[in-house]
Amino acid sequence: MLPLYRFLISQVMPYDLNPCLRTVFINFLKITGSILLFFLTGTLTFAQPVNIRPKIGLALSGGGAKGMAHVGVLKVMEEAGLRPDYISGVSMGSIIGGMYAIGYSADSIHKILNSMNWDLSFTSIIPENKVIFPEKEHYNNSIISLPISSKRVKLPSGLINGQQIENMLSYYAWPAAGINDFSKLPIPFMCLAADLLTGSLVELHSGYLPDAIRASSAVPTIFTPIRIDSALLIDGGILRNYAAKEVRDMGADIVIGSYTGHQAYSEDQLQSVPGIVRQIAFIRSFEDFQGQKKLTDILIEPDLTGYPRTVFSNVDSIVESGYKAALPYKNYFKRLADSLYNIEPLQPIEKILERHALCIDKIEITGNKIYSDYQILGVLDISPGEEIDKNFITDKIDLLYGKTWFEKVKYRIMSRNDSLILSIECLEESNSMLYGGIYYDRYIRTGLVFRMTFKDLITSKSLLDFDTFIGQYYRLRLSLLKFIDRNQKFGISTVLYADNTHLPMLNFRNETGSIYDRTFYSRFSISKYLGLNHLMNASVIVENNTFVPEFVSRNHLKKLTYNFLTARYDYQVNTLDKKNFPDRGTLSYISAGISKLLSGVIRTDYAKDTYRKADPGEFSFGRSYSFTGGVRSYFSVSKDLTISLKANLLYTIDADSTTSLYNTYYLGGVDVPAGKSIPLAGFHSNEIAVDKCAGIGADFDLEVMKNVHLTLMTDFFAANEIHDNEKFSLLAGYGLEAAYISMIGPVRIGFMHGLSSNERYYNAVKGYISIGYKF
């Protein structure tokens, strides 16, 4: 129940009263209320001493992206020297209000809003550079991803679980870690949520601040609800989108409100299904708002016509709209601040933003059944008694989530019995997953892409993958990785791989034509994972290469087969933020290998001849050496333009001078269809067989609209072709590509032009198309 003087203030005092007179009037009503209370109860009790100033409450509504206008209102209040004593928030208002209550200034919040990747925040996807290396190739690279249980395949939820937005909230609310009572924040704060189970309004005054804000902003049909105690909470704006009553209950005498929520539609706006649905969804909270307005002394309603609730790219414009709406009240705010702070000077708030490192007394892990505490703590590498800061814990949580063990993993820091508890809450993925998609290009044609992955199936800390591209030019890979240390940085692996690759033009044994290269190998590796983005491998490979002419051979050749053994060292770096059209990051590798031919087989129409070192025939069984390296770095020079610089190097020394195909690499194309392919715009994929080359290039990618890209590609190479050991060929190419990131994967259409110092069998101008996620 409101104190009597507050009731009198809300019922009697004019809203446009001069601030100085208003203050006198408030104190007069407090005394009057006490006198009235005396006659009613027989006891004279002053509600408050006259020299205690009235308190300011700030109520911030929901409104999706429109709620960013609250920052402009806060800027005007700051310029006027007026600070709220209490803050209430709903949905987006809870995010802005919660951050302001911690101590962030309006300018700081504005910068944070501008720096956020909103597209990423409203997904459960993390940047690829935060995914562990073994998972990078497959992460976010399929149309479907279905968990496989022992009983059935389960369809995933279509709602966003909040992994990214919760990480963001925990990061910026770090200074308030351990403050469980929101009244003890630098500015007392509360927010509203709705209980999905009971349909009731829930006031959140305590707990873990990021959880409270996340619950208040859990928009139904977009975000999953969040459970706090026995309640299943969603966006409070469903029931009450503006909390004036609650901020008065906290102790506010004067309420300033910023409302960016739903406004009732006119009859003309109700001629469409979306308009009717939105009116129905928000009609209750809009009716409630009419009552809340009566509890508000100053209500600011920015004009946000034309700004969608779900588009967060207009930060500056929306904040400016809030500023313009509040600017007419600036002088009023100044006079109000002067009169209030003459009664009682404004005291500085506690600067908790200066808190950085916290000493954790205990670590608790919940929700894990498949993965043990020991495994999780091994990845986190945190021990009780250790000091951590927000960057450290954020990186560790990203590292844990990047293992792809979990649908969601979050942390809380809670105060309990004078101890700080780091709580890790996990929602586990199925340890068996099925992925699928389709892919087409003119080189490997149409096929289905499937992948099954099984974690901890063979042994603990193991990963079993089966990948396949089912089509004319198939690819199959079965791999088993076993980590051998607690932190999962060292591993041993074995891989079985097979493919059928088309080489459009190859000259060997004095004949030229298109050829099928059928490869099968088994590889054993010892691996060292350096963080998330670096991998070092030492491998032994037993490989079978069979070349099958597509043409009728004058020499009656049917197949040429090599069986050889290779020892190889690889070092790979992948810091790309996303797989397709990255904005930043580097993709690089170096590889050095020694190969020795074990046997060679020549099959003709009439015979099959096998050659070994004791009977070499036309083969040479000496060792061959290869060194390859490549780098491609991406730089965003503006919001929509990204430049990538690239370089490649290949050098081989091949003792098999007669038939050296087993250590040959292939230039051409804008993509990498096989393990020995090197991209070169202007030529067909795998068009030019080389044993030495060096090249540089630059690409310019312009995102002309969301998910639509226009790319200019350029390459220049010097190469030694295997049929011409006399001199190096000079090769150059450029191309223009249009691409769209669709539901089934990237759709790319392009044209390119190749230049060569040698005569070629194909036209210089070529077109290409590819659709879908590739193997």
Side-chain angles (χ1 to χ4, degrees):
M1 180 176 178
L2 286 175
L4 184 57
Y5 77 86
R6 290 191 192 169
F7 174 77
L8 291 171
I9 290 170
S10 65
Q11 299 299 317
V12 177
M13 185 175 64
Y15 295 153
D16 58 351
L17 194 64
N18 180 280
C20 296
L21 293 176
R22 184 185 186 92
T23 302
V24 172
F25 193 41
I26 288 171
N27 290 320
F28 170 76
L29 288 176
K30 288 180 182 179
I31 298 172
T32 303
S34 298
I35 294 171
L36 288 173
L37 188 63
F38 168 76
F39 286 108
L40 291 174
T41 65
T43 303
L44 182 59
T45 303
F46 285 87
Q48 286 180 310
V50 175
N51 63 344
I52 295 181
R53 69 170 174 83
K55 297 297 192 292
I56 301 293
L58 178 65
L60 304 177
S61 77
K66 295 182 179 184
M68 296 188 293
H70 300 321
V71 177
V73 175
L74 287 167
K75 285 188 177 185
V76 173
M77 292 180 67
E78 285 182 350
E79 291 172 2
L82 186 64
R83 188 180 73 205
D85 298 288
Y86 307 101
I87 300 175
S88 70
V90 184
S91 197
M92 191 64 185
S94 72
I95 296 176
I96 304 298
M99 293 178 69
Y100 200 76
I102 294 171
Y104 289 100
S105 67
D107 280 337
S108 296
I109 298 173
H110 190 175
K111 290 176 183 177
I112 290 169
L113 295 176
N114 259 325
S115 66
M116 285 186 62
N117 184 337
W118 289 101
D119 289 339
L120 189 64
S121 296
F122 291 110
T123 70
S124 297
I125 298 171
I126 59 174
E128 196 167 311
N129 55 20
K130 295 185 177 181
V131 176
I132 190 172
F133 211 101
E135 297 285 349
K136 286 183 183 291
E137 180 181 356
H138 306 97
Y139 186 74
N140 200 28
N141 196 37
S142 61
I143 299 174
I144 59 170
S145 57
L146 303 174
I148 306 171
S149 70
S150 58
K151 297 180 180 179
R152 65 191 186 279
V153 174
K154 298 186 295 183
L155 294 176
S157 167
L159 299 179
I160 299 166
N161 64 30
Q163 175 70 30
Q164 290 299 324
I165 196 72
E166 288 180 27
N167 274 359
M168 181 273 289
L169 292 174
S170 291
Y171 181 84
Y172 289 111
W174 173 264
I179 301 177
N180 300 332
D181 182 350
F182 302 161
S183 68
K184 295 181 179 178
L185 293 171
I187 300 176
F189 170 76
M190 67 80 60
C191 57
L192 291 180
D195 189 347
L196 194 60
L197 299 176
T198 64
S200 60
L201 196 63
V202 177
E203 296 185 16
L204 298 169
H205 294 270
S206 61
Y208 183 57
L209 181 62
D211 278 356
I213 295 173
R214 162 73 167 87
S216 182
S217 55
V219 180
T221 74
I222 297 177
F223 286 106
T224 57
I226 181 170
R227 184 174 293 280
I228 296 180
D229 299 327
S230 61
L232 194 62
L233 301 180
I234 58 172
D235 192 326
I238 296 299
L239 301 177
R240 174 166 293 166
N241 202 24
Y242 174 74
K245 175 185 179 299
E246 286 73 19
V247 80
R248 280 204 180 273
D249 291 345
M250 293 173 74
D253 304 300
I254 303 168
V255 174
I256 299 170
S258 177
Y259 183 77
T260 59
H262 178 71
Q263 301 285 0
Y265 286 162
S266 66
E267 186 174 344
D268 290 340
Q269 293 173 302
L270 295 175
Q271 302 302 311
S272 66
V273 173
I276 294 172
V277 170
R278 182 173 292 278
Q279 183 84 326
I280 293 171
F282 290 99
I283 194 167
R284 178 174 175 181
S285 68
F286 181 72
E287 288 178 354
D288 181 81
F289 171 60
Q290 305 311 307
Q292 296 296 309
K293 284 200 295 186
K294 297 176 182 178
L295 301 174
T296 305
D297 299 295
I298 300 169
L299 181 63
I300 299 168
E301 298 184 77
D303 182 6
L304 297 166
T305 305
Y307 292 104
R309 296 164 54 89
T310 56
V311 177
F312 288 78
S313 57
N314 302 307
V315 176
D316 293 337
S317 299
I318 292 175
V319 170
E320 181 64 21
S321 295
Y323 185 86
K324 288 180 178 178
L327 199 56
Y329 297 92
K330 185 173 180 178
N331 288 333
Y332 182 91
F333 288 160
K334 284 182 178 178
R335 295 196 302 271
L336 181 60
D338 290 342
S339 61
L340 292 178
Y341 303 145
N342 279 334
I343 298 172
E344 179 185 332
L346 185 65
Q347 299 299 317
I349 63 174
E350 183 183 1
K351 295 183 179 180
I352 66 171
L353 290 181
E354 297 176 358
R355 294 180 181 174
H356 298 294
L358 299 173
C359 184
I360 300 302
D361 299 301
K362 184 179 180 182
I363 301 173
E364 297 177 348
I365 302 174
T366 59
N368 55 317
K369 296 180 180 178
I370 300 172
Y371 305 101
S372 67
D373 289 3
Y374 181 81
Q375 286 177 278
I376 293 171
L377 289 173
V379 176
L380 293 175
D381 198 20
I382 303 173
S383 301
E386 186 175 347
E387 283 197 343
I388 60 175
D389 62 26
K390 64 181 181 181
N391 294 307
F392 178 85
I393 188 62
T394 299
D395 288 344
K396 291 297 184 179
I397 293 296
D398 284 343
L399 175 63
L400 188 59
Y401 187 67
K403 302 289 288 184
T404 67
W405 293 350
F406 306 105
E407 289 183 28
K408 181 179 176 182
V409 58
K410 62 183 290 184
Y411 74 90
R412 295 185 179 95
I413 295 181
M414 302 176 295
S415 178
R416 187 192 306 154
N417 299 327
D418 297 325
S419 297
L420 279 183
I421 313 297
L422 172 61
S423 173
I424 307 296
E425 183 179 305
C426 308
L427 177 62
E428 290 180 320
E429 283 269 17
S430 170
N431 58 352
S432 302
M433 295 290 293
L434 170 66
Y435 304 90
I438 59 173
Y439 184 78
Y440 164 81
D441 70 28
R442 62 173 298 178
Y443 306 110
I444 63 175
R445 310 293 172 84
T446 303
L448 299 176
V449 179
F450 285 105
R451 178 197 182 204
M452 288 189 291
T453 179
F454 305 91
K455 296 171 183 174
D456 293 348
L457 179 66
I458 307 299
T459 66
S460 65
K461 296 186 290 186
S462 68
L463 178 64
L464 178 66
D465 274 327
F466 177 68
D467 302 87
T468 179
F469 175 81
I470 303 172
Q472 178 182 356
Y473 300 109
Y474 58 82
R475 274 117 176 83
L476 302 169
R477 178 172 55 210
L478 178 66
S479 63
L480 174 62
L481 170 64
K482 164 67 176 175
F483 289 103
I484 57 178
D485 67 320
R486 183 188 181 197
N487 295 333
Q488 302 196 16
K489 295 179 179 179
F490 286 93
I492 56 175
S493 64
T494 183
V495 177
L496 300 177
Y497 176 87
D499 74 18
N500 181 31
T501 300
H502 185 242
L503 305 177
M505 189 61 58
L506 189 64
N507 184 296
F508 76 112
R509 302 195 66 176
N510 299 318
E511 294 187 273
T512 301
S514 61
I515 286 177
Y516 298 107
D517 177 5
R518 294 171 183 167
T519 299
F520 173 81
Y521 69 74
S522 59
R523 183 182 72 205
F524 176 81
S525 302
I526 299 175
S527 307
K528 172 68 181 295
Y529 294 90
L530 307 172
L532 291 169
N533 301 314
H534 298 251
L535 169 62
M536 183 168 56
N537 269 332
S539 307
V540 176
I541 306 165
V542 178
E543 187 166 348
N544 173 283
N545 259 143
T546 297
F547 296 89
V548 181
E550 195 176 16
F551 56 88
V552 177
S553 170
R554 296 190 304 269
N555 298 319
H556 305 284
L557 180 66
K558 302 295 289 183
K559 293 180 181 179
L560 179 61
T561 299
Y562 300 92
N563 297 295
F564 56 96
L565 178 68
T566 300
R568 194 171 74 196
Y569 169 83
D570 301 284
Y571 189 91
Q572 301 175 59
V573 177
N574 183 347
T575 63
L576 302 185
D577 61 337
K578 52 187 175 181
K579 189 173 277 80
N580 298 295
F581 301 102
D583 295 316
R584 60 186 181 277
T586 297
L587 191 65
S588 65
Y589 72 95
I590 57 172
S591 178
I594 304 173
S595 298
K596 181 173 177 60
L597 190 65
L598 302 176
S599 66
V601 180
I602 299 176
R603 176 173 289 185
T604 65
D605 291 332
Y606 312 111
K608 174 185 175 182
D609 298 313
T610 301
Y611 300 92
R612 293 184 174 83
K613 187 173 183 179
D615 180 21
E618 59 184 282
F619 293 90
S620 173
F621 283 84
R623 291 184 177 87
S624 62
Y625 304 87
S626 65
F627 174 84
T628 59
V631 60
R632 184 166 188 169
S633 291
Y634 294 82
F635 310 91
S636 286
V637 296
S638 70
K639 180 180 178 181
D640 301 317
L641 179 63
T642 301
I643 298 175
S644 64
L645 304 178
K646 50 191 175 179
N648 290 92
L649 178 66
L650 164 68
Y651 188 82
T652 66
I653 302 172
D654 200 328
D656 188 350
S657 57
T658 305
T659 50
S660 59
L661 291 182
Y662 78 90
N663 211 17
T664 298
Y665 287 73
Y666 304 96
L667 282 176
V670 297
D671 216 333
V672 180
K676 292 184 177 181
S677 301
I678 300 174
L680 169 57
F683 300 87
H684 290 303
S685 289
N686 298 328
E687 181 180 337
I688 305 168
V690 298
D691 58 10
K692 298 176 182 65
C693 71
I696 57 173
D699 291 356
F700 304 85
D701 171 44
L702 178 66
E703 188 170 14
V704 294
M705 62 180 68
K706 185 175 176 62
N707 291 328
V708 178
H709 294 258
L710 193 64
T711 304
L712 174 66
M713 302 165 287
T714 61
D715 286 302
F716 178 81
F717 270 79
N720 186 64
E721 302 182 47
I722 62 169
H723 67 276
D724 187 0
N725 290 320
E726 298 295 325
K727 61 180 181 179
F728 275 82
S729 303
L730 298 180
L731 306 160
Y734 59 91
L736 185 65
E737 175 186 274
Y740 172 65
I741 309 299
S742 71
M743 292 180 62
I744 62 172
V747 178
R748 302 171 184 256
I749 301 174
F751 293 91
M752 52 187 179
H753 181 226
L755 304 170
S756 174
S757 60
N758 284 351
E759 185 178 350
R760 297 294 164 196
Y761 295 94
Y762 295 101
N763 292 332
V765 179
K766 306 169 182 69
Y768 66 90
I769 181 172
S770 69
I771 302 172
Y773 296 108
K774 66 177 183 176
F775 179 91

